[in-house]
Amino acid sequence: MNYQKITKGTFIERPNRFIAKVLINGKEETVHVKNTGRCRELLVPDATVYLEDFEDHMGTRKLRFSLVAVEKICKQNNHPLLINMDSQAPNALIKEEFYKWASKTGNSFRPETTYKNSRFDFSFETKSVKGFLEVKGVTLEKDGVCMFPDAPTERGTKHLTELIDAKQKDYWAGVLLLVQMSGMKYFTPNKLTDPKFSETLKLAKASGVEILCYECSVTPDSMTLGKKLQVVL
């Protein structure tokens, strides 16, 4: 997954969930933030950020820049860790992977598929199986361990519950935790922030739902699928 035009800036502040103030080429700009989550550990004053520049194709956009990635200074080695924080990037990347898979196998997939009271990110079908896949982008890191969620998520818990239901009705069911950074030790659910999600994730695994986790190789203008990570529940 690639961005067309990227520029570098320095984060100043975030007045609300949707916008931020960023210093770009010596000028303070109001930019769109492509992640409505808290991201408090990422968007700190003076952090280096990367923004997609829509100068040449604004269309109906009101803001020229969208903030898509940030450098976080890791406490363990004092080195910057580049994190893609674009909440649309995980689904865009997995959609690309599904297209590759479908073109090679002749199987089919569909984004945004309704099942009961949920809308799963993807459904797919082969000659022998039908399934659902829910994708969760992971941007929270502490001491080389990645976690989800960074805030309580009733919606995430509901998705897990209905994946369990789908599995019981003989569908393949899985959740993909896509880590929007690289170099992680393992993944674990954020039990302190959302114990209900953590317990439901354990129940999902026990019920046969596949719990998958992959990290990503991230550059300022791209994100590609990386290695599989261990999931510690």
Side-chain angles (χ1 to χ4, degrees):
M1 191 214 70
N2 295 90
Y3 298 101
Q4 295 302 310
K5 185 179 179 182
I6 290 290
T7 191
K8 191 175 182 179
T10 302
F11 178 80
I12 300 172
E13 63 174 346
R14 188 180 187 181
N16 60 50
R17 291 188 304 157
F18 305 101
I19 63 170
K21 301 290 186 180
V22 176
L23 189 66
I24 303 173
N25 296 324
K27 180 183 177 182
E28 183 178 310
E29 300 274 4
T30 298
V31 307
H32 172 230
V33 179
K34 297 190 75 173
N35 189 320
T36 57
R38 293 177 179 175
C39 304
R40 291 173 182 166
E41 76 288 351
L42 300 179
L43 296 180
V44 298
D46 297 324
T48 297
V49 294
Y50 296 90
L51 309 101
E52 189 170 18
D53 185 352
F54 291 87
E55 180 183 22
D56 300 327
H57 49 286
M58 287 289 289
T60 59
R61 290 180 60 91
K62 294 182 179 180
L63 299 175
R64 173 179 166 181
F65 299 98
S66 285
L67 196 160
V68 298
V70 58
E71 288 184 3
K72 177 185 177 183
I73 302 301
C74 297
K75 293 181 180 179
Q76 63 266 35
N77 57 22
N78 206 36
H79 289 168
L81 172 65
L82 184 58
I83 300 174
N84 179 299
M85 54 173 286
D86 177 359
S87 60
Q88 298 174 6
N91 277 34
L93 174 57
I94 298 308
K95 187 175 182 180
E96 289 180 359
E97 294 299 319
F98 261 119
Y99 270 121
K100 294 175 187 176
W101 170 77
S103 64
K104 289 179 180 178
T105 63
N107 296 320
S108 63
F109 79 97
R110 186 173 67 172
E112 297 292 323
T113 304
T114 299
Y115 178 83
K116 289 201 165 184
N117 296 313
S118 287
R119 185 184 290 268
F120 294 133
D121 290 320
F122 297 97
S123 64
F124 67 90
E125 184 173 352
T126 70
K127 292 181 180 179
S128 58
V129 66
K130 295 180 180 180
F132 299 103
L133 179 69
E134 181 65 17
V135 180
K136 302 296 183 188
V138 180
T139 61
L140 180 61
E141 175 272 344
K142 184 177 180 181
D143 299 328
V145 176
C146 48
M147 294 174 283
F148 181 91
D150 67 351
T153 172
E154 292 183 8
R155 182 171 176 267
T157 299
K158 184 184 77 169
H159 283 150
L160 292 177
T161 300
E162 297 203 334
L163 283 171
I164 293 170
D165 184 88
K167 179 64 180 178
Q168 292 171 342
K169 291 181 171 54
D170 294 327
Y171 289 97
W172 184 94
V175 57
L176 171 58
L177 300 150
L178 196 67
V179 181
Q180 293 170 250
M181 65 195 93
S182 62
M184 296 296 99
K185 298 173 184 175
Y186 59 88
F187 168 87
T188 192
N190 192 351
K191 301 173 186 177
L192 292 178
T193 296
D194 194 336
K196 188 172 183 181
F197 178 87
S198 177
E199 289 303 315
T200 308
L201 190 64
K202 289 181 183 178
L203 178 61
K205 183 177 181 180
S207 301
V209 176
E210 294 284 343
I211 312 297
L212 306 169
C213 184
Y214 284 82
E215 66 178 24
C216 292
S217 176
V218 176
T219 71
D221 64 355
S222 70
M223 187 170 83
T224 55
L225 199 61
K227 70 177 183 179
K228 190 173 184 179
L229 284 180
Q230 179 187 8
V231 175
V232 178
L233 300 179

